[in-house]
Amino acid sequence: MGRLNLLMSVLLSIFSVSIVLMPNLASAQLKTNYYANICPNVESIVRNVVNQKFKQTFVTVPAVLRLFFHDCFVEGCDASVIVSSTPGNTAEKDHSDNLSLAGDGFDTVIKAKAAVDSNSRCKNKVSCADILALATRDVIQLSGGPWYPVELGRLDGFTSKASNVEGKLPKPTFNLNQLNSMFASHGLTQADMIALSAAHSVGFSHCGKFSNRIYNFSPQNPIDPTLNKQYAAQLQGMCPRNVDPRIAIDMDPKTPRTFDNNYYKNLQQGMGLFTSDQVLYTDKRSKGTVDLWASNSKSFQNAFTTAMTKLGRVGVKTGRNGNIRFDCGRMN
C-alpha cells in the first residue's frame, strides 16, 4: 500500500509539472527560419504587400498592430480575430471590444495571404497567424520603430467566438494592478506591458473611449487632475460634449505617425490619452521605467522587441491544435 501511494504521488507530481509546462511546448516549436525550406520568400512577399498598403494609407500601421494584440490576447496568436461571423456563430471580430478594429488591418493580412498563396511553392503552407505576426513587425519598422526577427510556425485556431473576448482585453480605465494582472496571465511582465503600451504612439482613438476624463471624471473633478490642463482643453475642442463618439483623434498629439518613445515623453507631461496610459507615470511602481524610456530610445526599442517576441508566443497552436486556413476569414 505504501509503495502504491508513493507511485501515485510521483505520477501526480509528474502530471502537475506537465500541465505547468504544456503552455510553453507549442511556443518552443517556433523558430525564425521555420519556412526556410517550405516558403523561403515568405517574409519578402508579406513585406511587399505591407509596403503597398502603407503607401495607400498610414492607418495600416495602427490597424495591423492592434489586430495582432487583440488576436493574441484572446485564444492566443492564432488569427481567430480575422474570422468572419456565420449564421450559427458570432465571431471574435464582432464583439463590441473589436468593432473599432480598422478594416485596413484585416485587408493587409488577407492580401498578404493571397500573395503568399499565389506562389506555387507556398500555396496553403503559411498560416494566417504567421502572416499577421510578420505584417505587424513590418508596420512597426515602416513607421520608425525597430526591426526584429519574427518567430514563426504558428497554426491557425479552430474557434472564434465573440463570447471568448469578454474580459480579455485591457480597458482604457484600467489601473496598474489591473494591467499587470491581465498581462501576467499571458506570461508578460510589467516592463513588457509598459513597452507594449507604446503601440499608442501611433493611431487614433474614438472620443467615447476617454470622454469621462474630460467631462465627468468625478463629482469633485470633472476633468481628470492627472491630465495636462492645456491638453484637456485641446481634447474638449476636438471632442465637444454630445459629439459622435466614433469621431477619432490621434493618440499621440506630437508624433502621431511615428512609432517612437515620444509616447513616454507625453506621459511625463500629463498627456497620456487613456487613464491606462497616464497611470504608467502617476504610479510610482512604473514611473521609473517611463522616465528611462523617455530619455533612452535604444533601451525602449530593445524592451519593445523583447515584449513583442513574448507576445507572439502567447497561446500558439501547433500540431493537432490548429491548421493552415485556406481563407483567413473563414474556417476550412
Side-chain angles (χ1 to χ4, degrees):
M1 195 67 185
R3 282 185 179 179
L4 184 62
N5 286 340
L6 179 62
L7 179 62
M8 285 296 290
S9 69
V10 168
L11 286 173
L12 277 170
S13 66
I14 290 170
F15 181 67
S16 63
V17 166
S18 71
I19 284 182
V20 170
L21 293 178
M22 272 179 71
N24 299 320
L25 293 179
S27 62
Q29 294 177 34
L30 298 181
K31 49 188 181 179
T32 54
N33 65 343
Y34 182 85
Y35 291 104
N37 300 313
I38 302 168
C39 176
N41 297 328
V42 64
E43 297 207 25
S44 60
I45 296 170
V46 172
R47 175 77 180 201
N48 286 339
V49 172
V50 174
N51 271 330
Q52 289 166 15
K53 277 291 299 181
F54 178 74
K55 284 174 185 168
Q56 289 166 9
T57 173
F58 181 82
V59 175
T60 305
V61 174
V64 171
L65 191 46
R66 283 192 74 216
L67 194 63
F68 184 62
F69 183 83
H70 281 231
D71 184 42
C72 294
F73 261 43
V74 181
E75 299 294 301
C77 309
D78 64 354
S80 53
V81 74
I82 302 172
V83 174
S84 296
S85 295
T86 61
N89 178 61
T90 305
E92 284 178 31
K93 70 185 290 189
D94 288 319
H95 185 277
S96 57
D97 286 352
N98 283 333
L99 294 178
S100 62
L101 291 171
D104 289 297
F106 297 92
D107 189 51
T108 301
V109 176
I110 287 161
K111 284 193 163 114
K113 171 73 168 167
V116 169
D117 282 351
S118 70
N119 182 309
S120 58
R121 189 169 176 182
C122 305
K123 189 172 176 64
N124 299 331
K125 291 178 181 171
V126 181
S127 68
C128 303
D130 276 345
I131 288 171
L132 175 54
L134 286 169
T136 302
R137 185 268 312 277
D138 292 342
V139 297
I140 288 164
Q141 190 190 19
L142 280 169
S143 55
W147 183 94
Y148 55 93
V150 176
E151 295 178 341
L152 300 165
R154 300 164 192 78
L155 291 178
D156 299 322
F158 291 135
T159 59
S160 178
K161 294 182 180 298
S163 56
N164 290 339
V165 179
E166 195 59 42
K168 299 284 175 60
L169 295 166
K171 297 192 181 302
T173 53
F174 269 14
N175 61 32
L176 192 68
N177 288 344
Q178 291 169 309
L179 288 167
N180 279 338
S181 174
M182 182 169 281
F183 279 71
S185 71
H186 298 296
L188 298 164
T189 65
Q190 176 175 287
D192 296 328
M193 179 273 292
I194 300 169
L196 293 170
S197 295
H200 290 173
S201 165
V202 289
F204 50 85
S205 171
H206 298 98
C207 292
K209 293 288 183 188
F210 58 85
S211 59
N212 68 304
R213 295 190 73 204
I214 55 175
Y215 291 118
N216 55 350
F217 185 70
S218 72
Q220 296 79 27
N221 297 294
I223 298 173
D224 183 342
T226 65
L227 198 55
N228 178 297
K229 285 187 173 61
Q230 285 174 301
Y231 185 45
Q234 246 183 299
L235 293 174
Q236 287 175 333
M238 292 184 282
C239 294
R241 282 183 189 277
N242 303 319
V243 71
D244 183 336
R246 293 169 299 177
I247 295 290
I249 68 152
D250 291 329
M251 292 207 71
D252 180 343
K254 298 199 171 167
T255 57
R257 287 176 169 243
T258 308
F259 186 94
D260 56 17
N261 66 332
N262 210 67
Y263 170 75
Y264 303 107
K265 295 176 186 176
N266 289 339
L267 298 185
Q268 289 176 320
Q269 296 166 45
M271 296 171 73
L273 188 60
F274 294 160
T275 300
S276 58
D277 292 314
Q278 196 56 49
V279 74
L280 302 181
Y281 193 68
T282 55
D283 194 308
K284 62 181 185 295
R285 293 171 293 171
S286 46
K287 182 178 182 290
T289 307
V290 172
D291 284 333
L292 171 65
W293 292 343
S295 63
N296 190 327
S297 180
K298 191 68 189 158
S299 178
F300 155 60
Q301 291 193 349
N302 290 340
F304 182 79
T305 58
T306 296
M308 284 299 289
T309 302
K310 288 171 70 175
L311 175 62
R313 295 170 182 163
V314 171
V316 165
K317 311 294 189 296
T318 57
R320 294 180 183 175
N321 295 320
N323 62 11
I324 291 172
R325 256 179 248 144
F326 305 136
D327 175 347
C328 296
R330 61 188 177 89
M331 300 297 179
N332 291 355

